[in-house]
Amino acid sequence: MNTLKPIIKTIGIIAFFYVISSTEIYAQSDSPIKITIDSEKHGPVINRHIFGQFAEHLGKGIYEGVWVGPESSIPNTRGMRNDVVDALKELKVPNVRWPGGCFADEYHWRDGIGTPEQRQTRINTNWGGREEPNTFGTHEYFDFLNQIGADAFISANVGSGTVKESADWLEYLTADKSTLANERAKNGHPEPYEVAFWGIGNEVWGCGGPFTAEEYLTELKKFANFSTNYNSEVNTQLVAVGPDATGFGEYTEVIMKAWSTKSWAWDIHALSLHRYTRNGWPPNLIATDFDEQQYAKVIEETLGMDEFITTSEVIMDKYDPEKKISILVDEWGTWYAPTEGSPEGYLEQQNSQRDAIVAALNFNIFARHADRVRGANIAQMVNVLQAMILTDNEKMLLTPTYHAFRLYVPFQDAEHLKIDYEAGTYKQDNVTLPRIDAIAAKGKDGKILLAVTNVDPSRKATIDLQLADQKITNATGETLYTSEIDAINTFDRPEHVSPKKLDLKVSKGKIKLTLEPQSVTVISIDTK
Ligand code: AHR
C-alpha cells in the first residue's frame, strides 16, 4: 500500500495540472467571435470633430512641421509645406487647435501679425526656451486651415493676457467693420474669418494659471462675456477649461454648477478634458523596443479614458441633463519618454503600431460617448507626441497613428449603431483586457461601417459578421497590421506600417473574416 501512495499522488498532480491547462486552453480557444450590427438602432452622430488635431508652437510642430517659409527649398504654398498639407487633406481634418497648449497662455496675437518687420521674436519658455519668431501667426494659421480644409479652434490667452486682448483678437478675426477689421483687411484678409471654437484658456490649474476652480470661474465669466463673434456665418463655441486625468475634477462641478444658474451675461458651449496615456510624470514609457508587458500596460491605461469621461458626464448630467454642453477631449494621446538625443522640451517620440491601436481604442470610446463628447484633439499633429506625421527637414513620413485616422474617416458625422459581440479576453501577466473592441455606424453615404481592433498581439481573431435585420451584399475594408507590435515607419522604410486592402467574401448575407493580431480594421458594408 505504502508504495502506491507516491504513485497516486503523482497521478493526482498530473490530473490537477491537466484540468488547469485544459481550462486555460478553453479560455484561450479560438472559436469565432460573432459580431451583430443592428442597422435600425441608431444612436447619436459621431461628431467629426472627435477627429480633430492639435498643433502647438512646440519643438518642430509648427516650424519645420507645417511652416518652412515661402523661400524654402522644400516645396510649399505660401510657406506651408505641400507634402504635409497633402497628407492632412486625406484625413479630412475637421479642426486644428492652436496655438497651444501651455504656449497659448504666453501668446500675444499682435506679435504674429503684419509685415515681417512687425513680427516680434519671443522666447518659448514652456518648450525648451526656443526663439519664437512669430512668422507663423494668425493669418498663416488660417491660410493653413484653408489649405487643409479644417475649422479653427483657437485657445485664447487667459494666464498672461487680458480680457481686452482676447476680445480684440476675436473682433480682429470676425468683424466686418471696425478699426480692427480694417487692420485685418490691410494685413491681407478683408473677409472675416470663421472661428468654430474659442478656448478660454488652457490647463488653467497649471501652466495656464494657476487658478483654483473658483478663481478660474471668475475669469471664465469675464472672458466669456466679452468673447464676441461678429461673423454670423458661424456659431463660435466657447470652450471652458475642465479637468485632466491627474485631477482637478472640481473644475467640472464648479463650472457646471455655475453654468446651470448663470445670468444672461455669459455662456459656454463646451468643457475641455485632457487625458494622456503616459503612466505618471515624468513620462517614462518607451516609444519603441518595448515588450508585451509594456504594450499591455499602455493599452490598459488608454482604456481608462472611458471611466474618465464617464466621471465628468455624471457631474454634467446633474446640471445639464439635456446635454447642451459638449465635452471636448482637446488633448489626448501617448506621451512617452522623448527620443534619445532630441532637443530638450521638443517632445519628440516615435510612433508604432501600438499607437495606432491606442488611437483606435480612443476613437471607439469617444464614439460610445457621442451624445456628450463632440470633439477631441490628438496631441499633436506633426513631430510632437503622438504625431500623424514626422519630418526630417525635406523628408516626411506618415505614422501608424496617421493610418488609424485615415481608416476612420468614414466615421466622421456617421450615426452610431448598436453592435453586439462577446469581446473575450487577452491576458498579459496581471493585465486583463478585452480581446477585441468594435464600434459600428451608418456613414453619411448610407453604408454600414464597422471598426474592429484585435488587441491581442499573439492571436488572430475569427469574426462572424452579420446584420441583425438585413443581409450583407458586399463589403470592402482595410486593415493596419504588422507582425511586430513595436513596428514603426522610418525615413528609410516609410511604408513599413501601412494599411492593406482586405479581400472580403460575402456568403449567405454574412462575412467571415480573420483579424490579424494587434490590428485595426475598418469595413464598409453594402446592403443593396
Ligand atoms: O501637449 C503638450 C502639453 O500638454 C500642452 O501644452 C499642455 O496643455 C499639456 O500639458
Side-chain angles (χ1 to χ4, degrees):
M1 273 310 264
N2 276 352
T3 49
L4 277 180
K5 255 191 182 168
I7 297 171
I8 292 167
K9 201 172 160 193
T10 312
I11 292 172
I13 290 169
I14 292 170
F16 172 76
F17 279 109
Y18 176 76
V19 170
I20 291 293
S21 62
S22 50
T23 311
E24 194 63 17
I25 287 165
Y26 177 73
Q28 302 272 323
S29 81
D30 271 327
S31 47
I33 300 172
K34 190 161 144 192
I35 295 185
T36 308
I37 301 171
D38 195 334
S39 56
E40 292 303 311
K41 296 241 165 66
H42 294 213
V45 166
I46 300 168
N47 196 306
R48 68 193 173 98
H49 286 292
I50 71 163
F51 300 97
Q53 297 286 332
F54 172 35
E56 180 167 11
H57 287 234
L58 190 177
K60 298 195 298 179
I62 297 285
Y63 299 106
E64 183 182 309
V66 172
W67 174 261
V68 287
E71 310 304 330
S72 172
S73 58
I74 298 174
N76 68 83
T77 304
R78 296 180 297 280
M80 256 52 84
R81 54 189 298 167
N82 293 343
D83 51 359
V84 168
V85 166
D86 288 345
L88 291 172
K89 274 189 194 161
E90 293 288 307
L91 298 188
K92 304 207 183 309
V93 176
N95 74 79
V96 181
R97 182 170 178 258
W98 174 84
C102 293
F103 179 80
D105 283 282
E106 61 176 18
Y107 183 67
H108 300 283
W109 64 275
R110 284 203 161 276
D111 294 346
I113 57 166
T115 61
E117 300 70 46
Q118 289 170 313
R119 306 292 174 111
Q120 306 295 307
T121 302
R122 299 276 183 169
I123 311 296
N124 190 336
T125 58
N126 281 293
W127 305 116
R130 179 184 174 156
E131 265 188 20
E132 167 53 59
N134 277 303
T135 39
F136 188 94
T138 297
H139 289 260
E140 291 74 22
Y141 168 64
F142 277 92
D143 187 7
F144 170 64
L145 293 179
N146 192 36
Q147 290 190 35
I148 65 169
D151 287 351
F153 184 163
I154 291 180
S155 290
N157 180 344
V158 169
S160 70
T162 61
V163 174
K164 178 177 174 359
E165 184 185 11
S166 158
D168 281 356
W169 194 9
L170 197 48
E171 181 182 327
Y172 177 88
L173 291 167
T174 61
D176 67 348
K177 48 175 188 289
S178 75
T179 307
L180 286 167
N182 294 342
E183 188 181 357
R184 184 193 64 237
K186 209 173 91 220
N187 287 332
H189 208 275
E191 289 301 309
Y193 289 118
E194 294 182 9
V195 178
F197 301 95
W198 187 252
I200 300 180
N202 168 74
E203 298 197 352
V204 290
W205 22 262
C207 64
F211 299 114
T212 64
E214 282 78 12
E215 286 165 350
Y216 173 61
L217 179 62
T218 307
E219 299 300 311
L220 174 68
K221 288 181 187 172
K222 284 187 286 177
F223 275 78
N225 186 15
F226 296 101
S227 294
T228 307
N229 161 44
Y230 298 91
N231 186 345
S232 56
E233 294 294 309
V234 63
N235 289 322
T236 303
Q237 294 192 36
L238 302 182
V239 187
V241 174
D244 90 343
T246 63
F248 316 105
E250 69 277 13
Y251 268 69
T252 313
E253 179 74 36
V254 168
I255 292 162
M256 291 305 298
K257 187 171 178 195
W259 176 83
S260 67
T261 56
K262 71 176 185 61
S263 75
W264 60 267
W266 68 282
D267 202 356
I268 54 167
H269 310 96
L271 186 76
S272 136
L273 263 61
H274 287 184
R275 185 178 188 278
Y276 287 92
T277 300
R278 72 178 163 202
N279 192 32
W281 189 262
N284 51 55
L285 298 162
I286 46 171
T288 52
D289 298 323
F290 48 83
D291 59 22
E292 192 177 330
Q293 196 186 5
Q294 289 165 304
Y295 164 75
K297 283 266 173 217
V298 163
I299 301 303
E300 182 182 42
E301 189 183 348
T302 297
L303 291 173
M305 176 69 90
D306 187 62
E307 194 187 332
F308 178 58
I309 292 172
T310 304
T311 306
S312 288
E313 281 174 337
V314 169
I315 301 169
M316 294 175 82
D317 286 351
K318 201 165 58 166
Y319 297 110
D320 173 28
E322 290 171 51
K323 300 185 193 293
K324 288 186 179 156
I325 304 290
S326 307
I327 286 178
L328 305 185
V329 187
D330 59 10
E331 287 187 30
W332 66 271
T334 51
W335 188 328
Y336 304 129
T339 305
E340 236 176 82
S342 60
E344 172 89 25
Y346 275 36
L347 309 189
E348 287 180 11
Q349 65 188 42
Q350 248 296 357
N351 194 295
S352 71
Q353 175 72 6
R354 178 178 66 179
D355 292 270
I357 291 177
V358 166
L361 296 175
N362 275 306
F363 297 152
N364 296 354
I365 294 169
F366 300 150
R368 290 188 195 106
H369 291 270
D371 59 347
R372 182 70 86 172
V373 176
R374 302 190 191 102
N377 300 76
I378 190 167
Q380 299 194 6
M381 190 172 68
V382 190
N383 288 331
V384 177
L385 298 176
Q386 192 180 344
M388 311 304 104
I389 293 172
L390 301 179
T391 66
D392 179 12
N393 289 307
E394 75 291 352
K395 292 185 246 171
M396 182 203 84
L397 65 78
L398 307 177
T399 65
T401 298
Y402 173 95
H403 294 303
F405 269 80
R406 222 267 294 129
L407 290 182
Y408 270 76
V409 165
F411 281 88
Q412 295 197 12
D413 286 337
E415 277 179 284
H416 197 219
L417 292 178
K418 186 172 179 296
I419 180 170
D420 284 314
Y421 60 91
E422 288 291 331
T425 52
Y426 153 58
K427 285 190 188 159
Q428 167 60 30
D429 283 349
N430 54 353
V431 178
T432 303
L433 300 168
R435 182 179 173 192
I436 65 157
D437 189 65
I439 57 164
K442 185 164 192 177
K444 286 201 297 182
D445 58 1
K447 290 192 192 250
I448 293 164
L449 306 166
L450 169 74
V452 53
T453 294
N454 183 2
V455 174
D456 193 317
S458 317
R459 284 184 302 162
K460 295 184 182 198
T462 310
I463 304 290
D464 283 338
L465 173 62
Q466 60 179 29
L467 304 181
D469 38 18
Q470 41 187 333
K471 286 195 179 348
I472 299 172
T473 54
N474 190 27
T476 54
E478 284 183 271
T479 189
L480 188 65
Y481 155 71
T482 53
S483 51
E484 328 87 56
I485 188 58
D486 60 348
I488 57 173
N489 287 337
T490 61
F491 294 107
D492 297 330
R493 271 174 107 190
E495 289 177 9
H496 180 50
V497 187
S498 45
K500 290 158 198 65
K501 291 237 176 311
L502 286 171
D503 182 20
L504 296 168
K505 302 254 181 312
V506 181
S507 163
K508 298 189 183 139
K510 300 179 186 179
I511 296 175
K512 192 183 266 305
L513 75 142
T514 302
L515 303 176
E516 296 293 342
Q518 65 210 14
S519 59
V520 178
T521 302
V522 172
I523 293 174
S524 172
I525 297 164
D526 290 317
T527 51
K528 294 197 177 74

